[in-house]
Amino acid sequence: MTTATLDRRNSRVATLAFLGALAMLGLGYAAVPLYQLFCQVTGFGGTTQKASESEANLAAQFARSAGTREISIRFDASTARDLNWSFAPAQVTETVQIGVRDMAFYTARNNDSVPITGSATFNVEPEYAGRYFNKIQCFCFTEQTLQPGQQVRMPVLFYVDPAILDDENAKDLEQITLSYTFHRSIDQPGDRAE
């Protein structure tokens, strides 16, 4: 084997290794958004669905015509350690008719001496119910900024999709838990060093 042939082979291997590393880096950056998209589409991991007004109206029409059953919704709230907020549901449980829109409220209060922006993450338990839990409007869709001492009531407009009635896993389901955790938003003025 000549030196020129060996150099070409080494150059090809180096190029392939570099392209492979670039591909892995690209997949690393794409993994989080792709996973989030997967969870939103399938309800995996208790991820709830986002519904439009027209979808909610269709579900309500079905519920009225079919006389669907009721289900208990449990509301849960917590905050990350670095967020000096009080955060709680206005009501811990509520019974709703499947397919019919309902509204729940959460209360948040900034206990700090500076304005703080927070964002809420959420999930549903049991996990398989996430694909049937539809939010029409929610404080979790946008960041929330609270001034020092400010307290706000934040609504969640939701319904449980009547398709849950056809799911064998859900035939004995009596309660769905909707959980929120507020986190301090990243890169906001006044962030504390950890």
Side-chain angles (χ1 to χ4, degrees):
M1 185 177 304
T2 67
T3 304
T5 306
L6 187 58
D7 286 344
R8 271 196 310 272
R9 280 188 169 178
N10 287 343
S11 179
R12 189 174 11 176
V13 169
T15 301
L16 289 174
F18 178 73
L19 291 174
L22 274 179
M24 295 302 284
L25 182 66
L27 286 174
Y29 277 104
V32 171
L34 288 174
Y35 179 73
Q36 287 174 335
L37 179 63
F38 171 76
C39 290
Q40 288 171 348
V41 169
T42 65
F44 182 76
T47 302
T48 62
Q49 305 302 301
K50 189 174 181 181
S52 68
E53 283 287 336
S54 61
E55 291 168 326
N57 289 337
L58 286 173
Q61 287 173 353
F62 174 82
R64 280 192 293 277
S65 66
T68 60
R69 69 181 174 97
E70 293 182 332
I71 191 163
S72 173
I73 308 294
R74 181 178 176 278
F75 303 100
D76 184 46
S78 63
T79 58
R81 286 182 287 147
D82 67 339
L83 186 67
N84 190 14
W85 283 11
S86 301
F87 177 55
Q91 189 172 329
V92 176
T93 60
E94 184 176 345
T95 300
V96 301
Q97 185 178 0
I98 293 175
V100 176
R101 276 185 273 202
D102 203 85
M103 186 176 290
F105 289 92
Y106 283 77
T107 303
R109 176 177 168 69
N110 179 357
N111 299 318
D112 213 320
S113 60
V114 296
I116 298 177
T117 300
S119 60
T121 57
F122 54 86
N123 73 341
V124 169
E125 287 293 328
E127 287 184 9
Y128 65 82
R131 73 178 62 154
Y132 304 112
F133 197 96
N134 292 274
K135 294 183 204 171
I136 303 161
Q137 295 174 354
C138 182
F139 59 88
C140 62
F141 295 160
T142 59
E143 292 183 335
Q144 306 294 320
T145 300
L146 299 182
Q147 298 302 314
Q150 181 182 10
Q151 180 171 313
V152 295
R153 274 178 55 124
M154 299 178 294
V156 180
L157 183 61
F158 68 94
Y159 70 94
V160 178
D161 190 331
I164 197 170
L165 299 170
D166 298 327
D167 189 330
E168 274 298 309
N169 292 325
K171 69 180 180 181
D172 296 323
L173 182 63
E174 295 178 5
Q175 186 173 68
I176 296 173
T177 300
L178 175 62
S179 296
Y180 288 100
T181 301
F182 254 106
H183 303 269
R184 180 182 284 267
S185 292
I186 299 171
D187 298 330
Q188 66 175 329
D191 268 352
R192 295 181 180 154
E194 296 272 326

mmCIF file of all heavy atoms in Angstrom, residues 78-129:
data_model
loop_
_atom_site.group_PDB
_atom_site.id
_atom_site.type_symbol
_atom_site.label_atom_id
_atom_site.label_comp_id
_atom_site.label_asym_id
_atom_site.label_seq_id
_atom_site.Cartn_x
_atom_site.Cartn_y
_atom_site.Cartn_z
ATOM 1 N N SER A 78 -47.023 22.671 42.850
ATOM 2 C CA SER A 78 -45.763 22.772 43.586
ATOM 3 C C SER A 78 -44.886 23.813 42.901
ATOM 4 O O SER A 78 -45.178 24.247 41.791
ATOM 5 C CB SER A 78 -45.048 21.412 43.648
ATOM 6 O OG SER A 78 -44.705 20.985 42.339
ATOM 7 N N THR A 79 -43.824 24.212 43.585
ATOM 8 C CA THR A 79 -42.869 25.161 43.012
ATOM 9 C C THR A 79 -41.464 24.592 43.153
ATOM 10 O O THR A 79 -41.179 23.819 44.073
ATOM 11 C CB THR A 79 -42.917 26.532 43.721
ATOM 12 O OG1 THR A 79 -42.650 26.339 45.101
ATOM 13 C CG2 THR A 79 -44.254 27.215 43.530
ATOM 14 N N ALA A 80 -40.598 25.003 42.244
ATOM 15 C CA ALA A 80 -39.190 24.620 42.331
ATOM 16 C C ALA A 80 -38.567 25.331 43.535
ATOM 17 O O ALA A 80 -39.055 26.374 43.983
ATOM 18 C CB ALA A 80 -38.466 25.007 41.049
ATOM 19 N N ARG A 81 -37.472 24.775 44.053
ATOM 20 C CA ARG A 81 -36.830 25.326 45.251
ATOM 21 C C ARG A 81 -36.369 26.764 45.086
ATOM 22 O O ARG A 81 -36.362 27.526 46.035
ATOM 23 C CB ARG A 81 -35.643 24.459 45.674
ATOM 24 C CG ARG A 81 -36.071 23.150 46.316
ATOM 25 C CD ARG A 81 -34.881 22.352 46.770
ATOM 26 N NE ARG A 81 -34.220 21.813 45.571
ATOM 27 C CZ ARG A 81 -32.932 21.619 45.448
ATOM 28 N NH1 ARG A 81 -32.130 21.886 46.439
ATOM 29 N NH2 ARG A 81 -32.429 21.139 44.341
ATOM 30 N N ASP A 82 -35.979 27.158 43.872
ATOM 31 C CA ASP A 82 -35.440 28.506 43.661
ATOM 32 C C ASP A 82 -36.521 29.548 43.374
ATOM 33 O O ASP A 82 -36.216 30.689 43.063
ATOM 34 C CB ASP A 82 -34.401 28.500 42.535
ATOM 35 C CG ASP A 82 -35.012 28.209 41.169
ATOM 36 O OD1 ASP A 82 -36.121 27.635 41.114
ATOM 37 O OD2 ASP A 82 -34.378 28.557 40.162
ATOM 38 N N LEU A 83 -37.790 29.184 43.480
ATOM 39 C CA LEU A 83 -38.888 30.103 43.195
ATOM 40 C C LEU A 83 -39.643 30.404 44.482
ATOM 41 O O LEU A 83 -40.313 29.530 45.033
ATOM 42 C CB LEU A 83 -39.830 29.492 42.152
ATOM 43 C CG LEU A 83 -40.945 30.393 41.659
ATOM 44 C CD1 LEU A 83 -40.377 31.563 40.862
ATOM 45 C CD2 LEU A 83 -41.908 29.606 40.792
ATOM 46 N N ASN A 84 -39.541 31.627 44.956
ATOM 47 C CA ASN A 84 -40.173 32.025 46.214
ATOM 48 C C ASN A 84 -41.619 32.454 45.967
ATOM 49 O O ASN A 84 -41.980 33.615 46.136
ATOM 50 C CB ASN A 84 -39.360 33.154 46.870
ATOM 51 C CG ASN A 84 -39.832 33.443 48.280
ATOM 52 O OD1 ASN A 84 -40.567 32.666 48.880
ATOM 53 N ND2 ASN A 84 -39.420 34.579 48.807
ATOM 54 N N TRP A 85 -42.414 31.510 45.527
ATOM 55 C CA TRP A 85 -43.837 31.737 45.290
ATOM 56 C C TRP A 85 -44.648 30.779 46.143
ATOM 57 O O TRP A 85 -44.221 29.657 46.441
ATOM 58 C CB TRP A 85 -44.202 31.460 43.843
ATOM 59 C CG TRP A 85 -43.824 32.511 42.853
ATOM 60 C CD1 TRP A 85 -43.007 33.585 43.047
ATOM 61 C CD2 TRP A 85 -44.239 32.566 41.491
ATOM 62 N NE1 TRP A 85 -42.890 34.313 41.885
ATOM 63 C CE2 TRP A 85 -43.641 33.708 40.905
ATOM 64 C CE3 TRP A 85 -45.055 31.772 40.702
ATOM 65 C CZ2 TRP A 85 -43.846 34.061 39.581
ATOM 66 C CZ3 TRP A 85 -45.244 32.123 39.377
ATOM 67 C CH2 TRP A 85 -44.655 33.264 38.833
ATOM 68 N N SER A 86 -45.852 31.204 46.496
ATOM 69 C CA SER A 86 -46.870 30.303 47.024
ATOM 70 C C SER A 86 -47.749 29.958 45.823
ATOM 71 O O SER A 86 -48.128 30.850 45.056
ATOM 72 C CB SER A 86 -47.718 30.999 48.088
ATOM 73 O OG SER A 86 -46.925 31.440 49.151
ATOM 74 N N PHE A 87 -48.055 28.696 45.664
ATOM 75 C CA PHE A 87 -48.809 28.253 44.495
ATOM 76 C C PHE A 87 -49.704 27.097 44.897
ATOM 77 O O PHE A 87 -49.217 26.114 45.470
ATOM 78 C CB PHE A 87 -47.835 27.848 43.390
ATOM 79 C CG PHE A 87 -48.464 27.298 42.144
ATOM 80 C CD1 PHE A 87 -49.430 28.012 41.454
ATOM 81 C CD2 PHE A 87 -48.082 26.063 41.642
ATOM 82 C CE1 PHE A 87 -50.005 27.510 40.295
ATOM 83 C CE2 PHE A 87 -48.640 25.558 40.484
ATOM 84 C CZ PHE A 87 -49.600 26.279 39.816
ATOM 85 N N ALA A 88 -51.010 27.220 44.654
ATOM 86 C CA ALA A 88 -51.946 26.184 45.089
ATOM 87 C C ALA A 88 -53.207 26.222 44.233
ATOM 88 O O ALA A 88 -53.576 27.272 43.704
ATOM 89 C CB ALA A 88 -52.315 26.394 46.551
ATOM 90 N N PRO A 89 -53.897 25.074 44.138
ATOM 91 C CA PRO A 89 -55.194 25.083 43.447
ATOM 92 C C PRO A 89 -56.247 25.716 44.351
ATOM 93 O O PRO A 89 -56.173 25.615 45.581
ATOM 94 C CB PRO A 89 -55.484 23.598 43.221
ATOM 95 C CG PRO A 89 -54.735 22.890 44.305
ATOM 96 C CD PRO A 89 -53.522 23.732 44.583
ATOM 97 N N ALA A 90 -57.220 26.374 43.744
ATOM 98 C CA ALA A 90 -58.321 26.952 44.521
ATOM 99 C C ALA A 90 -59.186 25.843 45.112
ATOM 100 O O ALA A 90 -59.760 25.992 46.181
ATOM 101 C CB ALA A 90 -59.155 27.882 43.648
ATOM 102 N N GLN A 91 -59.266 24.731 44.403
ATOM 103 C CA GLN A 91 -60.058 23.580 44.829
ATOM 104 C C GLN A 91 -59.231 22.336 44.544
ATOM 105 O O GLN A 91 -58.680 22.199 43.455
ATOM 106 C CB GLN A 91 -61.360 23.575 44.031
ATOM 107 C CG GLN A 91 -62.382 22.592 44.487
ATOM 108 C CD GLN A 91 -63.704 22.814 43.730
ATOM 109 O OE1 GLN A 91 -64.045 23.923 43.346
ATOM 110 N NE2 GLN A 91 -64.425 21.734 43.529
ATOM 111 N N VAL A 92 -59.136 21.423 45.492
ATOM 112 C CA VAL A 92 -58.274 20.256 45.335
ATOM 113 C C VAL A 92 -58.878 19.211 44.392
ATOM 114 O O VAL A 92 -58.164 18.612 43.590
ATOM 115 C CB VAL A 92 -57.924 19.622 46.697
ATOM 116 C CG1 VAL A 92 -57.101 18.362 46.529
ATOM 117 C CG2 VAL A 92 -57.185 20.626 47.560
ATOM 118 N N THR A 93 -60.168 18.983 44.475
ATOM 119 C CA THR A 93 -60.817 18.031 43.562
ATOM 120 C C THR A 93 -62.117 18.624 43.036
ATOM 121 O O THR A 93 -62.718 19.494 43.666
ATOM 122 C CB THR A 93 -61.134 16.678 44.238
ATOM 123 O OG1 THR A 93 -62.003 16.895 45.339
ATOM 124 C CG2 THR A 93 -59.888 15.958 44.664
ATOM 125 N N GLU A 94 -62.512 18.108 41.891
ATOM 126 C CA GLU A 94 -63.767 18.534 41.276
ATOM 127 C C GLU A 94 -64.263 17.378 40.423
ATOM 128 O O GLU A 94 -63.473 16.689 39.780
ATOM 129 C CB GLU A 94 -63.513 19.767 40.419
ATOM 130 C CG GLU A 94 -64.743 20.352 39.806
ATOM 131 C CD GLU A 94 -64.441 21.639 39.042
ATOM 132 O OE1 GLU A 94 -63.367 22.216 39.204
ATOM 133 O OE2 GLU A 94 -65.308 22.041 38.261
ATOM 134 N N THR A 95 -65.558 17.183 40.397
ATOM 135 C CA THR A 95 -66.149 16.159 39.549
ATOM 136 C C THR A 95 -66.686 16.842 38.300
ATOM 137 O O THR A 95 -67.417 17.832 38.394
ATOM 138 C CB THR A 95 -67.282 15.424 40.296
ATOM 139 O OG1 THR A 95 -66.728 14.818 41.469
ATOM 140 C CG2 THR A 95 -67.903 14.342 39.426
ATOM 141 N N VAL A 96 -66.291 16.306 37.133
ATOM 142 C CA VAL A 96 -66.700 16.901 35.858
ATOM 143 C C VAL A 96 -67.330 15.835 34.986
ATOM 144 O O VAL A 96 -67.050 14.640 35.131
ATOM 145 C CB VAL A 96 -65.512 17.552 35.122
ATOM 146 C CG1 VAL A 96 -64.879 18.648 35.959
ATOM 147 C CG2 VAL A 96 -64.478 16.527 34.712
ATOM 148 N N GLN A 97 -68.170 16.281 34.061
ATOM 149 C CA GLN A 97 -68.747 15.363 33.093
ATOM 150 C C GLN A 97 -67.771 15.231 31.934
ATOM 151 O O GLN A 97 -67.263 16.236 31.419
ATOM 152 C CB GLN A 97 -70.097 15.871 32.599
ATOM 153 C CG GLN A 97 -70.787 14.885 31.680
ATOM 154 C CD GLN A 97 -72.152 15.372 31.231
ATOM 155 O OE1 GLN A 97 -72.594 16.440 31.588
ATOM 156 N NE2 GLN A 97 -72.802 14.563 30.412
ATOM 157 N N ILE A 98 -67.493 14.018 31.529
ATOM 158 C CA ILE A 98 -66.576 13.774 30.418
ATOM 159 C C ILE A 98 -67.139 14.431 29.161
ATOM 160 O O ILE A 98 -68.315 14.284 28.843
ATOM 161 C CB ILE A 98 -66.352 12.267 30.212
ATOM 162 C CG1 ILE A 98 -65.594 11.704 31.415
ATOM 163 C CG2 ILE A 98 -65.610 11.993 28.912
ATOM 164 C CD1 ILE A 98 -65.401 10.209 31.402
ATOM 165 N N GLY A 99 -66.274 15.200 28.475
ATOM 166 C CA GLY A 99 -66.655 15.878 27.245
ATOM 167 C C GLY A 99 -67.147 17.294 27.441
ATOM 168 O O GLY A 99 -67.295 18.034 26.479
ATOM 169 N N VAL A 100 -67.398 17.694 28.664
ATOM 170 C CA VAL A 100 -67.920 19.033 28.936
ATOM 171 C C VAL A 100 -66.808 19.923 29.472
ATOM 172 O O VAL A 100 -66.050 19.521 30.356
ATOM 173 C CB VAL A 100 -69.095 18.969 29.943
ATOM 174 C CG1 VAL A 100 -69.582 20.361 30.301
ATOM 175 C CG2 VAL A 100 -70.228 18.134 29.361
ATOM 176 N N ARG A 101 -66.726 21.140 28.940
ATOM 177 C CA ARG A 101 -65.708 22.096 29.397
ATOM 178 C C ARG A 101 -65.903 22.444 30.856
ATOM 179 O O ARG A 101 -67.020 22.586 31.338
ATOM 180 C CB ARG A 101 -65.802 23.389 28.599
ATOM 181 C CG ARG A 101 -65.084 23.359 27.317
ATOM 182 C CD ARG A 101 -65.151 24.705 26.697
ATOM 183 N NE ARG A 101 -66.381 24.762 25.917
ATOM 184 C CZ ARG A 101 -66.590 25.590 24.939
ATOM 185 N NH1 ARG A 101 -65.698 26.484 24.644
ATOM 186 N NH2 ARG A 101 -67.702 25.554 24.258
ATOM 187 N N ASP A 102 -64.782 22.627 31.530
ATOM 188 C CA ASP A 102 -64.810 23.047 32.919
ATOM 189 C C ASP A 102 -63.628 23.982 33.142
ATOM 190 O O ASP A 102 -62.666 23.979 32.366
ATOM 191 C CB ASP A 102 -64.724 21.839 33.857
ATOM 192 C CG ASP A 102 -65.294 22.158 35.226
ATOM 193 O OD1 ASP A 102 -66.524 22.038 35.376
ATOM 194 O OD2 ASP A 102 -64.522 22.535 36.115
ATOM 195 N N MET A 103 -63.698 24.757 34.211
ATOM 196 C CA MET A 103 -62.622 25.689 34.510
ATOM 197 C C MET A 103 -62.172 25.478 35.951
ATOM 198 O O MET A 103 -62.993 25.360 36.855
ATOM 199 C CB MET A 103 -63.077 27.137 34.326
ATOM 200 C CG MET A 103 -61.941 28.134 34.490
ATOM 201 S SD MET A 103 -62.419 29.838 34.166
ATOM 202 C CE MET A 103 -62.662 29.796 32.411
ATOM 203 N N ALA A 104 -60.864 25.416 36.113
ATOM 204 C CA ALA A 104 -60.263 25.323 37.447
ATOM 205 C C ALA A 104 -59.374 26.544 37.629
ATOM 206 O O ALA A 104 -58.900 27.135 36.650
ATOM 207 C CB ALA A 104 -59.437 24.045 37.571
ATOM 208 N N PHE A 105 -59.151 26.923 38.873
ATOM 209 C CA PHE A 105 -58.300 28.075 39.170
ATOM 210 C C PHE A 105 -57.164 27.670 40.096
ATOM 211 O O PHE A 105 -57.345 26.843 40.991
ATOM 212 C CB PHE A 105 -59.110 29.190 39.841
ATOM 213 C CG PHE A 105 -60.054 29.876 38.910
ATOM 214 C CD1 PHE A 105 -61.364 29.440 38.781
ATOM 215 C CD2 PHE A 105 -59.637 30.952 38.146
ATOM 216 C CE1 PHE A 105 -62.239 30.064 37.921
ATOM 217 C CE2 PHE A 105 -60.503 31.581 37.278
ATOM 218 C CZ PHE A 105 -61.810 31.139 37.167
ATOM 219 N N TYR A 106 -56.015 28.277 39.846
ATOM 220 C CA TYR A 106 -54.861 28.172 40.723
ATOM 221 C C TYR A 106 -54.520 29.577 41.194
ATOM 222 O O TYR A 106 -54.777 30.552 40.489
ATOM 223 C CB TYR A 106 -53.658 27.583 39.971
ATOM 224 C CG TYR A 106 -53.725 26.088 39.776
ATOM 225 C CD1 TYR A 106 -54.545 25.534 38.806
ATOM 226 C CD2 TYR A 106 -52.954 25.229 40.558
ATOM 227 C CE1 TYR A 106 -54.602 24.166 38.612
ATOM 228 C CE2 TYR A 106 -53.008 23.860 40.368
ATOM 229 C CZ TYR A 106 -53.829 23.335 39.402
ATOM 230 O OH TYR A 106 -53.883 21.982 39.215
ATOM 231 N N THR A 107 -53.938 29.671 42.377
ATOM 232 C CA THR A 107 -53.514 30.953 42.921
ATOM 233 C C THR A 107 -51.998 30.930 43.083
ATOM 234 O O THR A 107 -51.438 29.967 43.601
ATOM 235 C CB THR A 107 -54.172 31.213 44.291
ATOM 236 O OG1 THR A 107 -55.586 31.155 44.119
ATOM 237 C CG2 THR A 107 -53.792 32.573 44.822
ATOM 238 N N ALA A 108 -51.364 32.017 42.630
ATOM 239 C CA ALA A 108 -49.911 32.159 42.781
ATOM 240 C C ALA A 108 -49.623 33.497 43.434
ATOM 241 O O ALA A 108 -50.289 34.494 43.151
ATOM 242 C CB ALA A 108 -49.215 32.071 41.426
ATOM 243 N N ARG A 109 -48.634 33.508 44.318
ATOM 244 C CA ARG A 109 -48.224 34.735 45.002
ATOM 245 C C ARG A 109 -46.704 34.793 45.029
ATOM 246 O O ARG A 109 -46.042 33.829 45.395
ATOM 247 C CB ARG A 109 -48.760 34.755 46.426
ATOM 248 C CG ARG A 109 -48.296 35.963 47.236
ATOM 249 C CD ARG A 109 -48.919 35.973 48.633
ATOM 250 N NE ARG A 109 -48.320 36.920 49.525
ATOM 251 C CZ ARG A 109 -48.408 38.243 49.447
ATOM 252 N NH1 ARG A 109 -49.080 38.780 48.466
ATOM 253 N NH2 ARG A 109 -47.837 39.024 50.332
ATOM 254 N N ASN A 110 -46.165 35.956 44.642
ATOM 255 C CA ASN A 110 -44.725 36.190 44.687
ATOM 256 C C ASN A 110 -44.371 36.662 46.093
ATOM 257 O O ASN A 110 -44.745 37.760 46.494
ATOM 258 C CB ASN A 110 -44.325 37.239 43.638
ATOM 259 C CG ASN A 110 -42.842 37.533 43.646
ATOM 260 O OD1 ASN A 110 -42.084 37.009 44.461
ATOM 261 N ND2 ASN A 110 -42.407 38.386 42.739
ATOM 262 N N ASN A 111 -43.648 35.857 46.843
ATOM 263 C CA ASN A 111 -43.258 36.185 48.215
ATOM 264 C C ASN A 111 -41.898 36.873 48.277
ATOM 265 O O ASN A 111 -41.386 37.123 49.365
ATOM 266 C CB ASN A 111 -43.224 34.912 49.069
ATOM 267 C CG ASN A 111 -44.576 34.255 49.124
ATOM 268 O OD1 ASN A 111 -45.598 34.904 49.266
ATOM 269 N ND2 ASN A 111 -44.600 32.933 48.977
ATOM 270 N N ASP A 112 -41.308 37.156 47.123
ATOM 271 C CA ASP A 112 -39.982 37.753 47.069
ATOM 272 C C ASP A 112 -40.090 39.274 46.997
ATOM 273 O O ASP A 112 -41.178 39.830 46.838
ATOM 274 C CB ASP A 112 -39.227 37.218 45.845
ATOM 275 C CG ASP A 112 -37.735 37.101 46.094
ATOM 276 O OD1 ASP A 112 -37.166 38.002 46.733
ATOM 277 O OD2 ASP A 112 -37.139 36.103 45.633
ATOM 278 N N SER A 113 -38.960 39.957 47.107
ATOM 279 C CA SER A 113 -38.927 41.422 47.064
ATOM 280 C C SER A 113 -38.611 41.954 45.671
ATOM 281 O O SER A 113 -38.451 43.166 45.492
ATOM 282 C CB SER A 113 -37.895 41.943 48.064
ATOM 283 O OG SER A 113 -36.616 41.447 47.732
ATOM 284 N N VAL A 114 -38.512 41.070 44.682
ATOM 285 C CA VAL A 114 -38.235 41.461 43.300
ATOM 286 C C VAL A 114 -39.251 40.785 42.377
ATOM 287 O O VAL A 114 -39.804 39.741 42.716
ATOM 288 C CB VAL A 114 -36.800 41.059 42.866
ATOM 289 C CG1 VAL A 114 -35.755 41.791 43.677
ATOM 290 C CG2 VAL A 114 -36.598 39.560 42.962
ATOM 291 N N PRO A 115 -39.497 41.395 41.213
ATOM 292 C CA PRO A 115 -40.376 40.723 40.238
ATOM 293 C C PRO A 115 -39.747 39.401 39.804
ATOM 294 O O PRO A 115 -38.534 39.310 39.645
ATOM 295 C CB PRO A 115 -40.438 41.698 39.057
ATOM 296 C CG PRO A 115 -39.968 43.006 39.586
ATOM 297 C CD PRO A 115 -39.039 42.702 40.720
ATOM 298 N N ILE A 116 -40.585 38.399 39.625
ATOM 299 C CA ILE A 116 -40.101 37.084 39.200
ATOM 300 C C ILE A 116 -40.993 36.571 38.082
ATOM 301 O O ILE A 116 -42.216 36.661 38.158
ATOM 302 C CB ILE A 116 -40.099 36.067 40.363
ATOM 303 C CG1 ILE A 116 -39.154 36.517 41.472
ATOM 304 C CG2 ILE A 116 -39.713 34.683 39.856
ATOM 305 C CD1 ILE A 116 -39.158 35.609 42.681
ATOM 306 N N THR A 117 -40.347 36.031 37.070
ATOM 307 C CA THR A 117 -41.069 35.393 35.966
ATOM 308 C C THR A 117 -40.931 33.886 36.125
ATOM 309 O O THR A 117 -39.830 33.370 36.316
ATOM 310 C CB THR A 117 -40.503 35.844 34.603
ATOM 311 O OG1 THR A 117 -40.635 37.262 34.508
ATOM 312 C CG2 THR A 117 -41.253 35.188 33.460
ATOM 313 N N GLY A 118 -42.053 33.207 36.054
ATOM 314 C CA GLY A 118 -42.053 31.753 36.184
ATOM 315 C C GLY A 118 -42.784 31.105 35.027
ATOM 316 O O GLY A 118 -43.605 31.743 34.359
ATOM 317 N N SER A 119 -42.477 29.852 34.807
ATOM 318 C CA SER A 119 -43.201 29.067 33.802
ATOM 319 C C SER A 119 -43.585 27.740 34.439
ATOM 320 O O SER A 119 -42.849 27.195 35.261
ATOM 321 C CB SER A 119 -42.365 28.859 32.541
ATOM 322 O OG SER A 119 -41.179 28.179 32.843
ATOM 323 N N ALA A 120 -44.749 27.262 34.043
ATOM 324 C CA ALA A 120 -45.286 26.045 34.646
ATOM 325 C C ALA A 120 -45.091 24.848 33.733
ATOM 326 O O ALA A 120 -45.352 24.918 32.530
ATOM 327 C CB ALA A 120 -46.766 26.219 34.954
ATOM 328 N N THR A 121 -44.607 23.762 34.307
ATOM 329 C CA THR A 121 -44.608 22.479 33.612
ATOM 330 C C THR A 121 -45.785 21.692 34.170
ATOM 331 O O THR A 121 -46.265 21.970 35.271
ATOM 332 C CB THR A 121 -43.298 21.704 33.840
ATOM 333 O OG1 THR A 121 -43.094 21.520 35.244
ATOM 334 C CG2 THR A 121 -42.123 22.446 33.237
ATOM 335 N N PHE A 122 -46.247 20.717 33.428
ATOM 336 C CA PHE A 122 -47.455 20.012 33.837
ATOM 337 C C PHE A 122 -47.416 18.569 33.387
ATOM 338 O O PHE A 122 -46.662 18.208 32.482
ATOM 339 C CB PHE A 122 -48.693 20.703 33.259
ATOM 340 C CG PHE A 122 -48.632 20.879 31.767
ATOM 341 C CD1 PHE A 122 -49.045 19.880 30.906
ATOM 342 C CD2 PHE A 122 -48.138 22.053 31.231
ATOM 343 C CE1 PHE A 122 -48.973 20.045 29.531
ATOM 344 C CE2 PHE A 122 -48.063 22.230 29.854
ATOM 345 C CZ PHE A 122 -48.480 21.225 29.014
ATOM 346 N N ASN A 123 -48.228 17.768 34.048
ATOM 347 C CA ASN A 123 -48.460 16.407 33.586
ATOM 348 C C ASN A 123 -49.755 15.889 34.176
ATOM 349 O O ASN A 123 -50.363 16.525 35.026
ATOM 350 C CB ASN A 123 -47.282 15.483 33.883
ATOM 351 C CG ASN A 123 -47.170 15.136 35.336
ATOM 352 O OD1 ASN A 123 -47.708 15.807 36.204
ATOM 353 N ND2 ASN A 123 -46.459 14.077 35.628
ATOM 354 N N VAL A 124 -50.168 14.750 33.691
ATOM 355 C CA VAL A 124 -51.406 14.116 34.115
ATOM 356 C C VAL A 124 -51.088 12.691 34.558
ATOM 357 O O VAL A 124 -50.261 12.016 33.965
ATOM 358 C CB VAL A 124 -52.422 14.092 32.947
ATOM 359 C CG1 VAL A 124 -53.609 13.217 33.267
ATOM 360 C CG2 VAL A 124 -52.896 15.498 32.630
ATOM 361 N N GLU A 125 -51.733 12.271 35.612
ATOM 362 C CA GLU A 125 -51.643 10.887 36.077
ATOM 363 C C GLU A 125 -53.041 10.309 36.138
ATOM 364 O O GLU A 125 -53.954 11.014 36.563
ATOM 365 C CB GLU A 125 -51.010 10.815 37.481
ATOM 366 C CG GLU A 125 -49.530 11.076 37.506
ATOM 367 C CD GLU A 125 -48.721 10.005 36.813
ATOM 368 O OE1 GLU A 125 -49.140 8.821 36.832
ATOM 369 O OE2 GLU A 125 -47.686 10.330 36.239
ATOM 370 N N PRO A 126 -53.269 9.084 35.763
ATOM 371 C CA PRO A 126 -52.300 8.177 35.171
ATOM 372 C C PRO A 126 -51.854 8.679 33.801
ATOM 373 O O PRO A 126 -52.583 9.393 33.118
ATOM 374 C CB PRO A 126 -53.058 6.859 35.058
ATOM 375 C CG PRO A 126 -54.500 7.228 35.075
ATOM 376 C CD PRO A 126 -54.612 8.502 35.837
ATOM 377 N N GLU A 127 -50.644 8.284 33.424
ATOM 378 C CA GLU A 127 -50.029 8.806 32.207
ATOM 379 C C GLU A 127 -50.887 8.620 30.966
ATOM 380 O O GLU A 127 -50.974 9.512 30.130
ATOM 381 C CB GLU A 127 -48.655 8.166 31.989
ATOM 382 C CG GLU A 127 -47.609 8.653 32.939
ATOM 383 C CD GLU A 127 -46.227 8.087 32.656
ATOM 384 O OE1 GLU A 127 -46.044 7.437 31.604
ATOM 385 O OE2 GLU A 127 -45.328 8.309 33.476
ATOM 386 N N TYR A 128 -51.537 7.473 30.829
ATOM 387 C CA TYR A 128 -52.319 7.215 29.618
ATOM 388 C C TYR A 128 -53.488 8.180 29.479
ATOM 389 O O TYR A 128 -54.015 8.379 28.386
ATOM 390 C CB TYR A 128 -52.810 5.764 29.556
ATOM 391 C CG TYR A 128 -53.799 5.392 30.638
ATOM 392 C CD1 TYR A 128 -55.142 5.708 30.517
ATOM 393 C CD2 TYR A 128 -53.382 4.713 31.782
ATOM 394 C CE1 TYR A 128 -56.051 5.367 31.506
ATOM 395 C CE2 TYR A 128 -54.274 4.376 32.769
ATOM 396 C CZ TYR A 128 -55.612 4.703 32.628
ATOM 397 O OH TYR A 128 -56.501 4.367 33.615
ATOM 398 N N ALA A 129 -53.905 8.827 30.559
ATOM 399 C CA ALA A 129 -55.018 9.777 30.494
ATOM 400 C C ALA A 129 -54.597 11.097 29.868
ATOM 401 O O ALA A 129 -55.454 11.897 29.478
ATOM 402 C CB ALA A 129 -55.586 10.016 31.893
#
